[in-house]
Amino acid sequence: MNDKDKTPGFHTKLEDYIYTITVSYIDSRLFLADMAARGEDSMDDEGFEDALQDEVLRGEQLDVIAQLARLNYQKTAQHVLELFGGCTSEANVNEHKLAWLVYIMGALVGGNTGSASSMRAQQQQKPSGSQPLHVINGEIAGRVFSLMNQTDANTNLPPESKEATNLETLELSYLYFMEQFRKVYIGEHARQLSASAPPSALSRGDVSMASSENPSRVVQERVCTVLGLKDEDAILGILVKKIVTNLQHRYTLEAVLKRTLAYFYELAAGVNIVHSVDKMSPHLIISGKLLLKNDTVRHLMANHASSTLGFLHAGPKYGRYRTQYYATLGKLLFMECRDGSTSTTALETFNTFMMPQYQVLEQLWQAANTGDGSALRSEQLRLPLIGLCRDLRGICQACVSHDMYTILFNWLVDNPKQPQNCKITVFSAALNFYWDDPEVTTPLLKFVAEFVYNKAQRINFDQNSPNGILLFREASKILVAYSQRMLQREQSQPVYKDIYREKYKGIGCVLELFSNALHGNYTNFGVFEL
């Protein structure tokens, strides 16, 4: 430390300078948001870019704000809260400014990710009377969640207009804040903070001491106070409710739908989170298990194919999101199956969940076994077939163990003694009639490639079981049928409108299927020479 650093009041002046810089930087973001909202051409003329539309640039700027705000966190947070209150009280709300403020508030909350000891050390350096960091963060979270609830009150589907773009920007900022909130107070960091709480403070009933040692619980209690919630469990309900609202009413905003499903998967992925059971001691459980206890999630799993989930019924445009949606639900489903007391209970749980898919599969099966099976090639069955393939692929992706894969295998190969009567033969039959329709063949081939993929040794049949041969034979039928059709088409010298989509993409999928089947190690290829 040099002599200048020892000057009385030097650090105080330094904090003031940094605070001034931080506030000026935040205000400049809002000024640019005003310009962008008005659509002024001067932004481009002067070389300014709208960081709200550039994820990389926005992330860099938010990192700067989070770093600068650490030195004088309370004053910076108070300034942001004042700006937030002023913006929400305006007659004509500027969504760009609101989005920036929500992003900044998320950066502030996510920027304080040190250990519990470092957070206490930071607090000890603050002047007496200043609020703890986690109390401030609780106030910030409460304000954002309150605004989010107001936005969700409008359940109309956004039209394709400038207003929809503004809404998309605001919705993405909500999801960013939810991600930061989850990482700090519902994820691994919250677990580490709670694990460091001294048991003596909890055992003797010193709630204030326990609260200071457990910032996660204090934040949750503060959010409950701001929003008028009865307990900490309701905070998770807010996050889940937002996910469901986006799936129901924001699916036309594709960027929002994509980010929402990714966030839902992160919540269900099994990260440990803090859950206060008795208001005294933190309790660690798996996040997926906590989701299963939430009433909204239970209702979603019981009605996962509901018509209220518009993206499931809006055609192939949103088809790829079905796979991610069912991969998440499949993870929760198999988690529930593992917790079942008996294998019979697990099977009943699986069959109940799969009833909508079973009804579609049964309908396709009846069409495939009517006459020559040409009834499969109908517009009434085309979209259900596409949806079924995408759904089953997502559920198959969630099968990470032998027991879970076996349940799905037995559901599809339901009559192994008469293989020709198994439900899985529907897919090879459908391929014979839809081989020239890439909107059908691509999800179908991707599902079968996933189904024969022996990841984590999940496919492990008994030595005396013919299931491995049955699985390989069904995959081979699909491989041969598609390959022969494509070769015949090539001989006729076709004209492709989109050669990648109509030719190369399907070839790539079928080669992946072939590779997975060969490397599955569940078939003794020597039997084919007998």
Side-chain angles (χ1 to χ4, degrees):
M1 181 179 294
N2 55 38
D3 294 338
K4 187 176 181 180
D5 294 337
K6 298 179 181 178
T7 304
F10 172 76
H11 291 291
T12 302
K13 291 182 179 180
L14 180 61
E15 287 187 8
D16 292 340
Y17 292 149
I18 293 179
Y19 170 72
T20 303
I21 294 172
T22 306
V23 169
S24 299
Y25 191 74
I26 292 173
D27 292 344
S28 68
R29 301 307 94 191
L30 302 185
F31 176 74
L32 292 177
D34 267 334
M35 294 178 63
R38 292 194 298 266
E40 295 186 6
D41 297 332
S42 58
M43 286 189 66
D44 296 331
D45 298 338
E46 298 177 15
F48 292 118
E49 297 182 23
D50 186 3
L52 283 178
Q53 310 304 326
D54 188 331
E55 185 173 356
V56 175
L57 180 60
R58 183 181 65 240
E60 292 174 349
Q61 295 184 6
L62 292 175
D63 288 341
V64 170
I65 293 174
Q67 293 292 334
L68 292 175
R70 285 185 176 184
L71 191 59
N72 207 328
Y73 188 75
Q74 181 170 347
K75 288 181 64 178
T76 304
Q78 187 63 38
H79 178 74
V80 173
L81 287 173
E82 290 175 358
L83 292 173
F84 185 81
C87 189
T88 54
S89 62
E90 293 177 357
N92 296 321
V93 177
N94 186 332
E95 286 89 352
H96 273 69
K97 287 181 66 175
L98 269 182
W100 254 121
L101 286 169
V102 173
Y103 273 119
I104 291 171
M105 294 161 88
L108 293 180
V109 172
N112 287 279
T113 57
S115 63
S117 58
S118 65
M119 290 181 69
R120 289 193 296 271
Q122 290 180 30
Q123 188 59 37
Q124 291 172 359
Q125 296 174 1
K126 299 299 178 183
S128 59
S130 61
Q131 291 182 315
L133 299 181
H134 38 274
V135 174
I136 300 172
N137 288 344
E139 184 72 24
I140 291 175
R143 296 284 191 91
V144 173
F145 290 150
S146 179
L147 177 65
M148 189 170 67
N149 290 337
Q150 295 177 28
T151 306
D152 290 344
N154 180 12
T155 58
N156 296 325
L157 290 178
E160 295 183 1
S161 62
K162 181 178 179 181
E163 287 74 16
T165 303
N166 294 339
L167 178 61
E168 179 178 277
T169 302
L170 185 58
E171 291 289 350
L172 289 175
S173 70
Y174 290 149
L175 290 169
Y176 173 82
F177 183 88
M178 290 165 60
E179 289 171 2
Q180 300 304 311
F181 186 82
R182 180 192 66 82
K183 290 177 183 178
V184 178
Y185 293 107
I186 306 184
E188 283 293 324
H189 180 58
R191 179 177 64 83
Q192 294 168 3
L193 293 178
S194 298
S196 63
S200 58
L202 298 172
S203 61
R204 65 173 178 263
D206 189 347
V207 179
S208 60
M209 179 63 179
S211 296
S212 64
E213 298 292 341
N214 186 0
S216 173
R217 190 159 70 88
V218 175
V219 172
Q220 294 179 4
E221 291 176 351
R222 184 59 179 166
V223 174
C224 290
T225 301
V226 174
L227 297 181
L229 304 176
K230 60 181 181 179
D231 55 27
E232 293 90 336
D233 289 344
I235 297 177
L236 182 63
I238 292 177
L239 304 180
V240 174
K241 180 183 176 182
K242 180 58 180 173
I243 292 172
V244 176
T245 299
N246 286 355
L247 296 181
Q248 290 178 332
H249 307 296
R250 303 288 186 259
Y251 67 89
T252 55
L253 306 174
E254 195 164 348
V256 175
L257 176 61
K258 181 179 180 180
R259 190 68 61 85
T260 300
L261 288 172
Y263 182 76
F264 188 25
Y265 183 82
E266 290 172 357
L267 277 180
V271 178
N272 291 337
I273 74 172
V274 174
H275 175 58
S276 299
V277 177
D278 54 5
K279 294 285 186 179
M280 295 299 296
S281 58
H283 180 59
L284 300 181
I285 63 175
I286 304 300
S287 60
K289 293 183 179 180
L290 183 56
L291 284 177
L292 289 173
K293 296 179 181 179
N294 183 269
D295 292 338
T296 305
V297 174
R298 300 297 306 173
H299 183 268
L300 178 63
M301 293 192 66
N303 302 274
H304 54 85
S306 171
S307 58
T308 60
L309 300 170
F311 78 100
L312 295 177
H313 309 279
K317 178 181 179 181
Y318 303 101
R320 62 180 177 274
Y321 299 114
R322 295 181 68 124
T323 300
Q324 188 174 6
Y325 171 68
Y326 275 100
T328 303
L329 293 184
K331 184 174 287 291
L332 294 174
L333 170 66
F334 292 133
M335 192 178 298
E336 185 177 13
C337 290
R338 285 196 299 270
D339 292 340
S341 56
T342 63
S343 58
T344 303
T345 304
L347 188 59
E348 291 176 353
T349 301
F350 180 83
N351 288 335
T352 301
F353 178 87
M354 295 294 291
M355 187 55 64
Q357 281 72 27
Y358 180 80
Q359 292 173 351
V360 174
L361 186 61
E362 183 67 26
Q363 188 179 10
L364 294 171
W365 167 256
Q366 295 295 336
N369 289 274
T370 301
D372 60 355
S374 58
L376 277 172
R377 183 89 188 207
S378 65
E379 196 60 32
Q380 291 79 10
L381 296 179
R382 179 176 175 273
L383 290 180
L385 173 61
I386 296 173
L388 178 66
C389 292
R390 294 191 181 277
D391 297 349
L392 292 180
R393 183 185 174 213
I395 293 171
C396 192
Q397 287 176 348
C399 296
V400 294
S401 67
H402 167 68
D403 293 339
M404 299 302 102
Y405 181 86
T406 301
I407 293 177
L408 178 61
F409 181 87
N410 292 335
W411 187 79
L412 286 170
V413 187
D414 53 342
N415 192 357
K417 293 185 178 180
Q418 295 180 330
Q420 69 277 9
N421 294 328
C422 292
K423 294 294 191 298
I424 196 173
T425 58
V426 164
F427 301 102
S428 57
L431 191 65
N432 286 324
F433 294 101
Y434 286 101
W435 65 271
D436 58 341
D437 187 347
E439 287 190 346
V440 176
T441 57
T442 298
L444 191 153
L445 292 172
K446 284 186 174 181
F447 158 63
V448 178
E450 178 65 31
F451 190 60
V452 301
Y453 181 31
N454 191 13
K455 62 180 179 183
Q457 297 299 310
R458 63 181 181 178
I459 307 178
N460 185 17
F461 301 116
D462 294 335
Q463 290 183 351
N464 59 348
S465 172
N467 288 342
I469 297 175
L470 293 178
L471 181 60
F472 184 82
R473 184 171 67 177
E474 194 60 33
S476 300
K477 286 170 58 179
I478 293 175
L479 169 67
V480 171
Y482 183 76
S483 301
Q484 287 180 343
R485 295 283 192 170
M486 291 302 294
L487 288 174
Q488 292 173 3
R489 185 179 185 181
E490 282 298 307
Q491 293 174 358
S492 63
Q493 297 181 350
V495 177
Y496 296 101
K497 295 181 179 179
D498 185 344
I499 191 170
Y500 170 75
R501 180 170 171 270
E502 298 178 28
K503 179 181 178 181
Y504 295 122
K505 190 172 184 179
I507 292 175
C509 292
V510 81
L511 288 176
E512 181 183 7
L513 184 158
F514 190 34
S515 175
N516 291 345
L518 289 177
H519 291 88
N521 199 30
Y522 44 77
T523 303
N524 185 349
F525 298 109
V527 300
F528 297 113
E529 297 182 359
L530 297 179

